[in-house]
Amino acid sequence: MSSSTRYITSMGELSRKDNSLIFRNDKGHKYIPIEGVKVIYCLNEVSINSKLLDFLARNKIIVHFFNYYGYYSGTFYPKEAYISGKVTIAQVKKFEENRLEIAKAIVKGIGINIYEVLYHYYKHGYKELKPLLNWLNKETGIILNKLDNIKQVLYLEGSIWKRFYETFPIYLPEDFMFNKRVKRPPDNPMNALISFGNSMLYTKVISQLYKTHLNQGISYLHEPFESRFSLSLDISEVFKPVIVYKTIFELVNNKKIQVNKHFEKQLNYCLLNENGRKIFIENFEKRLESSFEHSKLKRKVTYNTAIKLEGYKLIKNLVEGEKFIPFNLKEKI
């Protein structure tokens, strides 16, 4: 797990102590050295005060908050250090004049990465996947080229995800089957895993785009008013198959996460329990920090760094007109 990221999983109070951080609860206290820390996750009810926020802001530390049930609540975002009027103007211009170009590229990227994830199972004997693989490989690009508005692009995106979910019974155990995607609240173990994983990825993208000149409020696939960080929603979509779903499939198929051990189930919702969240985070971080040979840079980079590079690619499109091609799991670029 990256030493620049700290996770707080218990209820308690986080405060400043001299030039460091201290976490207190009824079990005692623990010092958290500030050196090297970039991001803090509060995955339970954690009390803070304005003195702490000022200290975190001066050290440019981002804090992501989740509530007791594991829902993402929000982010403390230090004053932006990489503001660029030139990039912001270019982002707005692209949105007004050719938003579709970026939105289509993102949806194409989702399809390509889902194809690559499913092809792994096809190679291992799950031949029932062939019709969907053919559709993703041959038809979605043709359909995208014919679309002329955002609603149509979003509809195609929804169809890609729906067909992807419909493949789960082919290669996942029966315990993790589900009928449809249910978010608030998730109603079964698979929906709980997807919701938590998507929230974690979203916060990772927020943290990485913070290091670029991009304005996270100006997005292309999602409507800008959907979220303060709607651009992070856009970029997250491409990485979901790569990070979130590959993590989930590995945990489920290897029985590292089990229905009877790692979930809290009530009448109308189902959530990962504290131990389940710890297991998911450990494997999620491991995947993010795993490295690959980048085809263009000709050096090893982690998937976490690839998220930041996605931001740089978008800036090159906006400022220099270079074609935006989202991260491609097969090509590693």
Side-chain angles (χ1 to χ4, degrees):
M1 191 174 292
S2 170
S3 60
S4 64
T5 302
R6 297 300 177 101
Y7 287 94
I8 296 173
T9 58
S10 306
M11 292 175 67
E13 178 189 11
L14 182 65
S15 58
R16 177 183 178 179
K17 178 68 174 175
D18 300 323
N19 285 317
S20 193
L21 302 171
I22 186 168
F23 178 72
R24 298 186 181 90
N25 61 15
D26 54 7
K27 296 177 183 174
H29 65 272
K30 181 179 181 180
Y31 283 96
I32 303 174
I34 198 78
E35 291 78 15
V37 175
K38 303 292 184 188
V39 182
I40 297 174
Y41 280 83
C42 295
L43 297 174
N44 211 317
E45 293 178 359
V46 176
S47 300
I48 59 173
N49 57 34
S50 57
K51 184 180 174 184
L52 172 69
L53 292 177
D54 180 62
F55 183 60
L56 295 170
R58 280 193 279 114
N59 286 279
K60 297 183 173 51
I61 296 173
I62 296 171
V63 188
H64 301 297
F65 294 95
F66 289 64
N67 65 19
Y68 173 78
Y69 297 102
Y71 295 139
Y72 170 69
S73 301
T75 297
F76 171 71
Y77 201 63
K79 185 179 176 182
E80 291 173 280
Y82 305 99
I83 295 174
S84 166
K86 183 180 177 182
V87 172
T88 301
I89 290 170
Q91 276 187 263
V92 173
K93 189 177 178 185
K94 174 66 77 171
F95 179 84
E96 291 179 339
E97 297 179 358
N98 198 4
R99 175 185 176 187
L100 266 179
E101 176 195 322
I102 305 296
K104 285 185 177 183
I106 291 169
V107 173
K108 186 176 181 180
I110 296 168
I112 288 172
N113 289 337
I114 285 179
Y115 176 93
E116 197 59 24
V117 170
L118 292 180
Y119 189 67
H120 164 80
Y121 291 100
Y122 176 75
K123 280 192 304 184
H124 287 81
Y126 297 97
K127 302 304 178 189
E128 307 96 307
L129 295 169
K130 189 169 180 55
L132 180 55
L133 289 172
N134 286 340
W135 183 74
L136 289 169
N137 191 36
K138 297 176 181 174
E139 296 184 41
T140 53
I142 297 171
I143 297 170
L144 265 175
N145 287 337
K146 295 177 181 176
L147 304 183
D148 59 12
N149 65 64
I150 289 294
K151 280 188 177 178
Q152 293 172 342
V153 175
L154 285 169
Y155 182 80
L156 177 62
E157 185 214 2
S159 297
I160 292 172
W161 286 117
K162 182 173 181 292
R163 293 190 185 201
F164 176 54
Y165 299 144
E166 288 171 352
T167 67
F168 287 9
I170 297 173
Y171 48 84
L172 293 180
E174 191 176 344
D175 284 355
F176 286 90
M177 290 304 98
F178 75 151
N179 293 322
K180 62 178 181 178
R181 182 78 178 97
V182 177
K183 300 178 183 178
R184 293 181 180 273
D187 63 346
N188 59 38
M190 180 53 74
N191 273 317
L193 282 168
I194 295 172
S195 290
F196 188 66
N198 286 348
S199 295
M200 289 297 298
L201 178 62
Y202 173 57
T203 58
K204 291 291 179 183
V205 176
I206 291 172
S207 301
Q208 290 294 35
L209 293 191
Y210 175 73
K211 302 170 186 173
T212 74
H213 293 301
L214 289 164
N215 183 321
Q216 297 205 41
I218 304 169
S219 52
Y220 302 96
L221 179 62
H222 297 87
E223 294 297 336
F225 51 76
E226 283 185 23
S227 159
R228 182 185 172 196
F229 305 112
S230 52
L231 185 62
S232 288
L233 289 175
D234 282 4
I235 301 299
S236 293
E237 297 294 344
V238 172
F239 285 92
K240 281 179 183 176
V242 182
I243 306 297
V244 177
Y245 287 96
K246 281 177 75 72
T247 300
I248 290 174
F249 296 165
E250 194 264 340
L251 289 173
V252 168
N253 281 327
N254 291 311
K255 301 187 187 309
K256 293 180 181 175
I257 289 275
Q258 297 179 31
V259 169
N260 58 350
K261 288 184 178 177
H262 301 118
F263 294 89
E264 179 184 338
K265 298 177 76 173
Q266 296 294 333
L267 183 62
N268 60 350
Y269 71 84
C270 176
L271 303 167
L272 276 164
N273 62 24
E274 186 172 337
N275 194 32
R277 288 203 294 265
K278 284 181 180 176
I279 293 170
F280 184 93
I281 289 168
E282 182 181 344
N283 287 271
F284 177 85
E285 283 282 352
K286 194 180 294 181
R287 189 168 298 280
L288 267 177
E289 294 304 321
S290 62
S291 60
F292 60 91
E293 183 76 18
H294 194 283
S295 302
K296 190 173 182 180
L297 299 178
K298 304 297 180 190
R299 63 177 171 84
K300 283 189 174 295
V301 301
T302 65
Y303 287 101
N304 203 23
T305 300
I307 295 173
K308 183 173 66 178
L309 295 176
E310 204 76 348
Y312 293 157
K313 280 196 283 185
L314 183 55
I315 291 173
K316 275 190 166 292
N317 173 275
L318 300 171
V319 177
E320 302 174 15
E322 189 171 304
K323 188 175 181 181
F324 176 67
I325 302 174
F327 178 77
N328 182 312
L329 180 58
K330 182 179 181 181
E331 302 295 333
K332 298 288 193 296
I333 190 167

